Amino acid sequence: YIDAINSLGEVYIMALNDNTNAIEQFERTVKIKPDFASGWYNLGYTYFTMQDYEKALPNFKQSAFLI
């Protein structure tokens, strides 16, 4: 279930260039499963692509902490 939500977020960011919906999906993954490192990484990546580094960094850190 988490993998499907995460994959949907990846489709939004990679194929559709839809940051808003990608963020919604990645936030769902980490809300449902806070120890899901890929969700935190993808959330950070999405913010990074938006050049919102202040939001990207804590998500990258959380992902690294969980790995």
Side-chain angles (χ1 to χ4, degrees):
Y1 176 70
I2 291 298
D3 290 326
I5 297 169
N6 192 58
S7 293
L8 180 58
E10 290 173 346
V11 168
Y12 279 124
I13 187 68
M14 300 294 188
L16 302 175
N17 199 27
D18 184 346
N19 296 328
T20 302
N21 281 313
I23 289 169
E24 286 179 18
Q25 299 311 311
F26 298 138
E27 285 180 343
R28 283 179 63 200
T29 65
V30 299
K31 183 177 181 182
I32 294 168
K33 190 172 183 199
D35 63 343
F36 189 62
S38 293
W40 290 107
Y41 176 83
N42 286 333
L43 193 53
Y45 175 80
T46 304
Y47 283 121
F48 184 83
T49 64
M50 298 168 61
Q51 298 182 340
D52 190 343
Y53 306 119
E54 288 183 28
K55 288 185 180 176
L57 185 59
N59 291 291
F60 284 139
K61 285 183 178 180
Q62 183 64 21
S63 174
F65 173 77
L66 293 169
I67 292 176

